[in-house]
């Protein structure tokens, strides 16, 4: 194992299974929510920021311009369902269920079982205020794709602890 992997403060967990990034380019388990960016099925220039709160399953879905999703009326829209499906591919069903505190009768649930268990509780629509920070993190991740490959440190990653003693 290279030195930088042993000294890194953040552990990188490989995806449970490879996934395609065209429909859901960004998914994360953070801030007490499953949240991410989902591409629009009808407009290539539009994306939706979707989220599900852990425990309550309060859901939110809006465009990157803070316009509400037309399909999220009282229940999960297709964007949220796609987000759960991709989260299961990225993190594994057990980890997603554990994070969202979703109880399923199946010991090895799939995305459909997770969505069914959460919708059975009749979750309420949630607050869309998290959309801006989630979309901002997505854009920051996209910026890394534009960087040339290099082995030197990135200034914005300097929050990692130093690996050697100061002189």
């Amino acid at each position: 194992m290279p030195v930088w992997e042993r000294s890194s403060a953040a552990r990188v967990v490989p995806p449970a299974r490879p996934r395609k990034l065209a429909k859901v380019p960004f998914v994360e388990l953070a801030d007490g929510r499953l949240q991410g960016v989902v591409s629009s099925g009808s407009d290539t220039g539009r994306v939706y920021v979707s989220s599900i709160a852990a425990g309550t399953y309060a859901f939110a879905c809006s465009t990157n311009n803070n316009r509400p999703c037309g399909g999220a009326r009282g229940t999960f829209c297709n964007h949220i369902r796609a987000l759960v499906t991709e989260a299961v591919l990225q993190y594994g069903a057990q980890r997603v269920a554990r994070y969202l505190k979703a109880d399923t009768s199946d010991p090895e649930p799939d995305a459909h079982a997770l969505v069914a268990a959460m919708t059975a509780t009749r979750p309420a629509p949630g607050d869309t205020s998290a959309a801006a920070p989630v979309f901002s993190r997505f854009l920051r991740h996209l910026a890394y794709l534009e960087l040339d490959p290099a082995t030197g440190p990135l200034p914005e990653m300097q929050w990692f602890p130093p690996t050697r003693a100061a002189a």
Side-chain angles (χ1 to χ4, degrees):
M1 182 179 288
V3 173
W4 66 271
E5 279 186 279
R6 287 193 312 257
S7 63
S8 176
R11 187 176 61 151
V12 176
V13 179
R17 282 180 261 153
R19 62 184 194 91
K20 296 180 182 172
L21 301 176
K23 182 66 179 166
V24 182
F26 182 70
V27 61
E28 65 180 354
L29 298 169
D31 304 326
R33 292 183 299 272
L34 165 61
Q35 53 196 16
V37 174
V38 182
S39 299
S40 170
S42 59
D43 184 356
T44 57
R46 182 181 303 143
V47 295
Y48 289 84
V49 179
S50 305
S51 66
I52 302 173
T56 64
Y57 316 127
F59 60 94
C61 188
S62 61
T63 67
N64 52 323
N65 299 358
N66 274 342
R67 296 207 167 116
C69 171
R73 294 188 184 114
T75 188
F76 294 163
C77 62
N78 288 337
H79 306 113
I80 292 175
R81 293 173 191 276
L83 181 70
V84 173
T85 301
E86 292 300 315
V88 166
L89 288 176
Q90 179 72 31
Y91 299 109
Q94 289 291 344
R95 184 172 176 195
V96 174
R98 203 171 39 249
Y99 188 84
L100 291 175
K101 300 176 182 126
D103 291 327
T104 61
S105 58
D106 189 3
E108 280 296 321
D110 60 358
H112 181 71
L114 284 174
V115 169
M118 290 185 289
T119 55
T121 66
R122 296 182 174 257
D127 186 18
T128 59
S129 64
V134 171
F135 192 66
S136 177
R137 274 198 300 277
F138 167 63
L139 292 177
R140 198 169 339 125
H141 279 81
L142 284 180
Y144 289 117
L145 296 176
E146 296 175 357
L147 296 176
D148 292 328
T151 57
L154 294 172
E156 62 269 19
M157 300 296 275
Q158 292 301 311
W159 54 270
F160 283 114
T163 57
R164 39 181 194 224

